[in-house]
Amino acid sequence: MKTILITGASTGIGRATAERFFARGWNVVATMRTPKSEREHDRWLVTRLDVTDADSIASALKAANERFGRIDALVNNAGYGLVGTFESMDEARIRRQFETNVFGLMRMCRALIPQFREQGEGMLINVASMGGRLTFPFYSVYHATKWAVDGFTEALAFELAPLCIRVKLIEPGAIKTDFYERSADFVHDRALSAYNAIVDKGMRRMRKAASRGAAPEAVADAIWKAATDGSSRLRYVVGADAKGLLALRRVVPDGVYRRLIAKQLLG
Ligand SMILES: NC(=O)c1ccc[n+]([C@@H]2O[C@H](COP(=O)([O-])OP(=O)(O)OC[C@H]3O[C@@H](n4cnc5c(N)ncnc54)[C@H](OP(=O)(O)O)[C@@H]3O)[C@@H](O)[C@H]2O)c1
């Protein structure tokens, strides 16, 4: 029986993924910052893990290995969006965004890769975003983290393939989760009034687009496919918006693409 460990499994994509693998017979280590144990089952382990806290990672891996004997797959899902005007963001906030979305994810990879190498196999599944290959206004630092995850993951896949460690990149479009409300770290200093009109318009339009997003179960499906299709495929794009925009970005010149986005969201 296979075991999957998922970060950020309290809500949204992480939660849907945990449920999907559990329903299909895997052992699930559902890790979260604030554990809540609502299911008693020998294939289900909830344990505390904050990706910014190395001790919590070590304890979670120990608990997972003690319970299930091995870990076959890691889903690096934990993350959130720092959103707003870059000029309003202080360094602490920017560092916190990188600390979670980039260094937290790398910390998890560093914790699991030695075990996968010793096991002779394993799978790293990193949840990036369509926003790891294209951009929208007011998500500058979030995009910087997801572009970092995208490049990191693509490069890492080369060096881990000979060790039989498969690496996968999940690229969701807008997904209806807590991402846009509870989890979002929105910052805009209204005193920087030159931005106010475009912030109001842009955020309103982006929230509207997000409200038409796919369900988190669509991402769980893609993660399931990535974990089980036996292929060496790297990228799994989820959602009609992500597929359409990434295709558009490939075929139209850069300037045309950026004018289209600006017109749609700010024009
Ligand atoms: N929703 C979208 O449109 C969308 C699109 C593309 C990519 N994504 C990516 O998908 C991933 C999951 O987001 P979601 O949409 O499912 O949003 P979500 O429902 O807000 O879930 C985010 C999860 O990450 C956890 N988390 C945040 N900081 C953490 C930390 N330091 N350590 C451990 N866990 C932490 C949260 O835990 P708490 O419950 O403790 O806050 C929560 O479980 C993120 O990486 C996000 O960037 C989302």
Side-chain angles (χ1 to χ4, degrees):
M1 196 176 297
K2 296 207 169 202
T3 300
I4 192 161
L5 186 145
I6 303 161
T7 64
S10 60
T11 56
I13 293 168
R15 179 72 201 194
T17 303
E19 293 293 345
R20 179 60 38 98
F21 280 76
F22 180 73
R24 296 193 177 162
W26 284 47
N27 300 321
V28 173
V29 186
T31 75
M32 54 195 82
R33 287 192 289 194
T34 313
K36 30 185 194 278
S37 192
E38 67 301 320
R39 174 186 278 136
E40 295 286 325
H41 196 286
D42 57 3
R43 288 193 293 104
W44 180 262
L45 173 65
V46 171
T47 179
R48 194 184 94 76
L49 191 158
D50 180 330
V51 298
T52 66
D53 172 358
D55 290 344
S56 78
I57 295 174
S59 309
L61 296 196
K62 188 164 177 282
N65 281 306
E66 277 171 10
R67 170 78 88 90
F68 299 123
R70 61 187 268 133
I71 299 167
D72 298 281
L74 162 67
V75 179
N76 270 316
N77 163 75
Y80 72 95
L82 170 56
V83 190
T85 46
F86 178 68
E87 206 181 332
S88 305
M89 296 170 189
D90 62 19
E91 185 163 331
R93 243 175 167 134
I94 294 168
R95 284 189 181 277
R96 193 168 79 88
Q97 173 76 127
F98 271 85
E99 193 50 49
T100 302
N101 292 10
V102 180
F103 298 121
L105 176 142
M106 289 182 179
R107 203 171 281 122
M108 289 301 302
C109 291
R110 289 177 58 237
L112 256 306
I113 288 169
Q115 177 169 348
F116 288 167
R117 181 172 39 71
E118 277 161 30
Q119 286 175 182
E121 61 181 351
M123 184 163 312
L124 279 178
I125 304 175
N126 289 344
V127 179
S129 171
M130 67 174 166
R133 285 197 285 151
L134 47 78
T135 63
F136 302 114
F138 309 122
Y139 279 82
S140 58
V141 176
Y142 176 73
H143 283 303
T145 67
K146 293 297 183 179
W147 283 56
V149 168
D150 191 292
F152 166 68
T153 307
E154 185 179 296
L156 189 64
F158 290 119
E159 70 194 56
L160 295 185
L163 281 63
C164 299
I165 301 172
R166 279 203 202 131
V167 178
K168 304 283 178 173
L169 193 49
I170 311 296
E171 300 178 311
I175 307 296
K176 273 189 267 180
T177 66
D178 290 356
F179 180 85
Y180 297 96
E181 300 292 340
R182 177 186 69 92
S183 301
D185 182 12
F186 176 78
V187 52
H188 172 57
D189 178 356
R190 303 285 304 177
L192 300 171
S193 58
Y195 294 106
N196 289 351
I198 57 162
V199 169
D200 293 345
K201 188 188 273 183
M203 292 309 297
R204 199 170 50 244
R205 289 185 183 176
M206 269 185 287
R207 285 202 182 100
K208 194 164 169 212
S211 73
R212 293 192 291 263
E217 287 72 23
V219 187
D221 284 339
I223 294 174
W224 173 261
K225 190 171 177 195
T228 58
D229 68 6
S231 78
S232 57
R233 177 176 160 191
L234 176 69
R235 294 172 192 280
Y236 295 77
V237 177
V238 187
D241 55 349
K243 286 176 185 158
L245 285 167
L246 286 167
L248 184 70
R249 178 116 214 204
R250 261 198 313 276
V251 297
V252 303
D254 203 51
V256 174
Y257 174 83
R258 287 192 297 108
R259 274 196 297 282
L260 271 170
I261 293 293
K263 188 159 182 285
Q264 280 286 315
L265 295 174
L266 306 176

